[in-house]
Amino acid sequence: MQKTSDAVNAQWSLMDSSAVTSKSTSLDLGVMRIACGSGVTGGITGAQIDYSEENITIGMVVEPLNGEPQTCQSNETVPYTLELEEPVGQAHAD
C-alpha cells in the first residue's frame, strides 16, 4: 500500500473493532467506494493516514471508474488490512 495524495473516494469500517488494542499495528478494514460504481468497489490503490495524539485519521482510495455510466446500488465491501507505522496507542481511528 502506498501513501497517496489522491482524493479519498472510499469509506471504511473496522471489520472487528474488538480486535483492536493499544498495541495493534494493523487494522482489518472493510472498504467501499463512495460513488455509484454498479456494485463494484474496485482495487484499493492507496491510503491517507494522519497521526495525532488523540486520533488516527484514515482516508482510503480505490481505483478510478472506467468513465461509463454507473448504476447506484450499494457497492461491494472489500476486506483490506491496513498496516500502521506505529501502534494505535490511545488514539481513536476516524
Side-chain angles (χ1 to χ4, degrees), residues 10-17 27-33 41 44 58 60 62 75-82:
Q11 61 190 16
W12 62 270
S13 61
L14 289 169
M15 296 298 280
D16 181 6
S17 61
L27 301 173
D28 290 326
L29 307 178
V31 179
M32 185 172 63
R33 178 183 300 281
T41 290
I44 299 163
I58 301 166
M60 299 303 296
V62 296
N75 296 320
E76 65 186 332
T77 298
V78 176
Y80 184 78
T81 300
L82 180 66

Side-chain angles (χ1 to χ4, degrees), residues 43-79:
I44 299 163
T45 59
Q48 296 176 4
I49 308 170
D50 292 313
Y51 299 89
S52 73
E53 288 189 29
E54 293 93 26
N55 295 298
I56 301 171
T57 304
I58 301 166
M60 299 303 296
V61 180
V62 296
E63 61 193 1
L65 295 169
N66 63 12
E68 295 180 17
Q70 305 291 319
T71 59
C72 288
Q73 69 270 25
S74 181
N75 296 320
E76 65 186 332
T77 298
V78 176

